[in-house]
Amino acid sequence: MQAKCSCHTTSAAARQVLCRSAPSSLKRSADLAGAQAFRGVTINQQRIAWRAAPTLTVCKAAAGTKPAKAAKPAPKSAIAHLRFIRGSPSKVRRVLDQIRGRSYEDALMILEYTPYRACEPIIKTLVSAGANAKENLGLKKVKLVVSECYCNEGPILKRIKTRAKGRADRIAKLTNHLSIRVQERVEA
């Protein structure tokens, strides 16, 4: 068997064992006649010994064929959640769209002067995310940016309102879950 993965090659001594990166459905179909290919892994017509010793897999980057790139460290981020807030998620999302991508201080200033009822829980969550970043990660609030903020639907409280002629209308009282992530500003 000759394995041709995007990041691994198998040694010549381990040609009877399938590369570990192949899916289990391919391993089951390897006993069938004919060569099959899936995601760059080819299987010869010979029967493959599945119970053999584990494959010695050598990464091309470690072997020297491709130099390994130094990955940039991901910026530290802190998140805060506020759940089961009464109100429509769509009304909260229109406010969140105004602060997404802004600096922490700008977002607080925008929320302070925006005349929507949805701003109050958003301010609480944003302040909490800033405090989490400062206390848990040691970040400065001046360097924070609102990297991600979203609002999902919560459970709907179903109520009944009586109407004329013995009828009843259903009232849906919506709730939502709010999440705000702040991270350190990435300087280019």
Side-chain angles (χ1 to χ4, degrees):
M1 180 203 72
Q2 186 82 19
K4 296 179 182 177
C5 296
S6 61
C7 66
H8 293 94
T9 58
T10 56
S11 64
R15 286 196 176 162
Q16 291 183 340
V17 182
L18 189 63
C19 179
R20 291 180 182 272
S21 65
S24 60
S25 62
L26 180 60
K27 292 177 185 176
R28 277 185 253 117
S29 65
D31 290 334
L32 300 175
Q36 298 180 7
F38 183 80
R39 293 189 186 163
V41 180
T42 58
I43 301 173
N44 292 336
Q45 292 180 351
Q46 62 184 349
R47 187 176 173 89
I48 297 174
W50 298 112
R51 302 278 186 230
T55 325
L56 173 64
T57 347
V58 181
C59 185
K60 289 181 182 177
T65 56
K66 287 185 180 178
K69 294 182 180 178
K72 292 182 180 179
K76 296 179 182 179
S77 64
I79 193 165
H81 303 285
L82 187 59
R83 300 180 194 267
F84 303 104
I85 308 166
R86 281 295 312 277
S88 171
S90 60
K91 293 178 183 176
V92 176
R93 287 183 193 123
R94 71 178 176 190
V95 179
L96 290 177
D97 291 339
Q98 300 299 316
I99 65 167
R100 190 175 291 117
R102 307 252 183 170
S103 70
Y104 175 78
E105 293 174 338
D106 287 347
L108 277 177
M109 193 174 298
I110 289 169
L111 291 172
E112 287 288 333
Y113 294 105
T114 305
Y116 295 122
R117 196 185 78 151
C119 292
E120 293 174 18
I122 295 174
I123 289 173
K124 282 176 61 174
T125 312
L126 183 60
V127 168
S128 177
N132 289 342
K134 181 180 177 186
E135 296 298 322
N136 300 338
L137 302 174
L139 303 176
K140 295 183 179 179
K141 289 185 180 181
V142 177
K143 294 184 177 182
L144 293 179
V145 174
V146 179
S147 61
E148 184 180 7
C149 55
Y150 54 90
C151 178
N152 296 325
E153 285 187 12
I156 299 173
L157 306 174
K158 295 170 182 161
R159 301 292 182 258
I160 300 294
K161 184 171 184 177
T162 56
R163 304 301 287 179
K165 299 184 180 180
R167 297 180 184 161
D169 285 346
R170 174 173 279 181
I171 296 176
K173 296 189 174 186
L174 303 177
T175 61
N176 59 68
H177 304 312
L178 177 62
S179 299
I180 297 179
R181 180 184 300 272
V182 293
Q183 71 181 18
E184 209 169 17
R185 183 180 295 127
V186 179
E187 296 180 17

